[in-house]
Amino acid sequence: MVLSDIACRNAHKSDKAKDGKAFKLFDDKGLFLLVKPTESGWGKWWRFKYRFDGKEKQLSLGTYPEVSLGQAREKRDEARKLVAATIDPGENRKAVKEARADSFANSFEVIAREWGSKKVQTWDEKNNRSKRMLERNIFPWLGAKPIADILPKDILASLRRIEERGTIETAHRTLQICGQVFRYAVATGRVDRDITQDLKGALPPAKGEHFAAITEPKEAAELLRAIDSYQGSLPALCALKLAPLVFVRPGELRAMQWQDVNLQTAEWRYLVTKTNVQHIVPLSRQALAILEELQPLTGHGRYVFPSERTPSGIRCMSENTLNAALKRLGYGKDKMTVHGFRAMARTILDEVLGVRPDFIEHQLAHAVRDPNGRAYNRTAHLPERHKMMQQWADYLDAIRNGATVLQFPRQT
């Protein structure tokens, strides 16, 4: 008689189990359930008995109840088909397992990490950044795939996801890193050629209007220390210190008004010049300290950063003041501009700190829409943006002070 599910479920309670020894319950066509005592009770294993090349063999089909009676029969029937086709099910399983192991050993992620370990003895900050870009943008979709099976369209699909976030420069850098991984795979005999060469021109240009910007953490740390050494006026120094903390457009920073700043709620609210809608900038503890230091000097007037040539304070700081200050510090317009602090924040928040792109885009006062195409309101994700701005200020303090800051926990 063939087995029933009740018989399988109660096998350890049957008369055969009374002597505490292993026994078998047979089903049909070579399938049976091996029942034997274990330290924690009774275990039940499915086995398929078959003959191949004149020898009797057994194939494990899993355990009951994880593999039900019906599922065990399906596996038995599949194995019988292999036998009928003169294929040994046991040897076939070993071959499949070895093929999977070989596929994993030659997966894109394994080769990429191998490339990284060969490139440097220990990942330095720059290479850690490359590693995080792969972990965030490529591995989730292509990491487990054999590198030889990856097509240009697969890489392009991952790059399109980055492009949709508005981080075109990151898409270009990710493509470059993928190219290095493929060239390493060519050198080690895993693939025949670097397929990323087929993607030249597939991405839009990395930059439209060019504003020089420093986006490497080490160079950013040097810039911050240079700003601390600035010997100009206090308003100019405070504006330079505040620029990386709030990363607003230069004209909006220069036109900052005391009436728009709320030191109690730690927020600065103003109308964005490009869209004429109100924008909210959460102020970190570091930003508040800068404003509180400057308030006794300019707090009686309209502008936080008044023109140095107009003592009455009826005009804000000129647009050349801060870029000229950067130039005096050795950062000409071909290396860094005040507008470049936006690119610095956008790049490092995304690639180093792993902040959600929509939080960053909101804080940059870019047009961000929900899945239905509606524009998010100005208060969207405000608590999260407060946390992000404090995290950003703390990160800048850390690298300014010489700390080795490689990675922060990613926002979820």
Side-chain angles (χ1 to χ4, degrees), residues 136-198:
R136 185 177 189 188
N137 302 316
I138 301 297
F139 290 168
W141 294 274
L142 301 179
K145 195 169 185 177
I147 193 168
D149 294 344
I150 295 177
L151 301 175
K153 67 177 183 179
D154 299 324
I155 297 178
L156 183 60
S158 293
L159 298 177
R160 291 295 186 216
R161 294 186 188 94
I162 307 172
E163 181 185 341
E164 289 171 0
R165 300 202 308 254
T167 50
I168 302 301
E169 293 179 11
T170 301
H172 280 272
R173 281 194 289 271
T174 302
L175 177 58
Q176 293 172 359
I177 295 170
C178 288
Q180 294 182 58
V181 173
F182 266 91
R183 288 190 289 277
Y184 174 77
V186 171
T188 54
R190 270 72 164 256
V191 292
D192 295 329
R193 68 186 189 91
D194 173 15
I195 64 170
T196 64
Q197 297 299 314
D198 297 342

Side-chain angles (χ1 to χ4, degrees), residues 243 246-250 252-253 268 270 279 281 338-339 342 363:
V246 295
F247 49 88
V248 297
R249 296 176 179 88
E252 294 161 353
L253 177 65
W268 167 30
Y270 65 94
H279 181 50
V281 180
V338 179
H339 198 284
R342 290 172 63 78
Q363 203 49 60

Side-chain angles (χ1 to χ4, degrees), residues 159-390:
L159 298 177
R160 291 295 186 216
R161 294 186 188 94
I162 307 172
E163 181 185 341
E164 289 171 0
R165 300 202 308 254
T167 50
I168 302 301
E169 293 179 11
T170 301
H172 280 272
R173 281 194 289 271
T174 302
L175 177 58
Q176 293 172 359
I177 295 170
C178 288
Q180 294 182 58
V181 173
F182 266 91
R183 288 190 289 277
Y184 174 77
V186 171
T188 54
R190 270 72 164 256
V191 292
D192 295 329
R193 68 186 189 91
D194 173 15
I195 64 170
T196 64
Q197 297 299 314
D198 297 342
L199 296 176
K200 287 185 176 180
L203 293 174
K207 295 181 180 180
E209 185 179 4
H210 177 72
F211 295 100
I214 289 173
T215 58
E216 289 292 342
K218 287 183 179 179
E219 296 179 10
E222 295 172 359
L223 171 61
L224 295 173
R225 288 191 286 269
I227 290 175
D228 286 344
S229 67
Y230 180 68
Q231 299 296 315
S233 66
L234 181 61
L237 173 61
C238 290
L240 284 177
K241 288 184 174 182
L242 193 62
L245 293 173
V246 295
F247 49 88
V248 297
R249 296 176 179 88
E252 294 161 353
L253 177 65
R254 293 186 293 103
M256 186 178 191
Q257 299 184 31
W258 284 110
Q259 66 178 9
D260 298 330
V261 177
N262 190 324
L263 298 178
Q264 283 68 45
T265 61
E267 289 180 353
W268 167 30
R269 302 187 176 212
Y270 65 94
L271 290 178
V272 177
T273 54
K274 292 186 70 173
T275 60
N276 199 36
V277 296
Q278 191 181 62
H279 181 50
I280 303 174
V281 180
L283 299 172
S284 62
R285 293 188 299 272
Q286 292 87 334
L288 290 174
I290 293 170
L291 293 172
E292 288 169 354
E293 179 184 10
L294 186 60
Q295 190 175 35
L297 179 63
T298 67
H300 59 279
R302 176 182 179 184
Y303 294 105
V304 177
F305 306 110
S307 170
E308 298 178 4
R309 296 184 178 182
T310 309
S312 60
I314 60 174
R315 294 181 181 178
C316 67
M317 184 178 290
S318 73
E319 62 178 320
N320 295 323
T321 300
L322 298 183
N323 281 329
L326 287 175
K327 186 176 181 180
R328 286 174 58 186
L329 293 172
Y331 293 87
K333 63 180 182 179
D334 60 335
K335 188 174 182 181
M336 184 62 183
T337 62
V338 179
H339 198 284
F341 287 115
R342 290 172 63 78
M344 175 193 291
R346 182 180 66 244
T347 302
I348 297 179
L349 281 169
D350 178 37
E351 299 177 8
V352 178
L353 301 187
V355 175
R356 270 180 48 174
D358 53 335
F359 293 175
I360 303 171
E361 293 302 301
H362 275 297
Q363 203 49 60
L364 287 166
H366 288 166
V368 182
R369 298 187 179 275
D370 66 15
N372 296 319
R374 300 186 298 263
Y376 283 111
N377 63 54
R378 59 190 173 80
T379 61
H381 307 302
L382 189 57
E384 292 83 359
R385 285 156 52 197
H386 268 277
K387 294 177 182 178
M388 178 188 73
M389 297 298 274
Q390 188 58 56

Side-chain angles (χ1 to χ4, degrees), residues 48 59 74-84 87 89:
F48 168 56
L59 183 69
E74 291 176 359
K75 291 186 176 185
R76 172 203 61 194
D77 293 341
E78 292 172 1
R80 283 171 55 83
K81 290 178 182 178
L82 291 175
V83 174
I87 299 174

Side-chain angles (χ1 to χ4, degrees), residues 52-103:
F52 195 86
D53 285 342
K55 297 180 181 179
E56 185 176 291
K57 296 186 175 184
Q58 290 186 13
L59 183 69
S60 175
L61 302 181
T63 61
Y64 180 89
E66 288 76 13
V67 176
S68 68
L69 174 59
Q71 291 171 331
R73 287 170 175 166
E74 291 176 359
K75 291 186 176 185
R76 172 203 61 194
D77 293 341
E78 292 172 1
R80 283 171 55 83
K81 290 178 182 178
L82 291 175
V83 174
T86 66
I87 299 174
D88 186 338
E91 295 300 322
N92 180 71
R93 175 179 290 180
K94 290 179 183 179
V96 171
K97 187 176 181 180
E98 290 174 357
R100 288 176 178 171
D102 183 66
S103 175

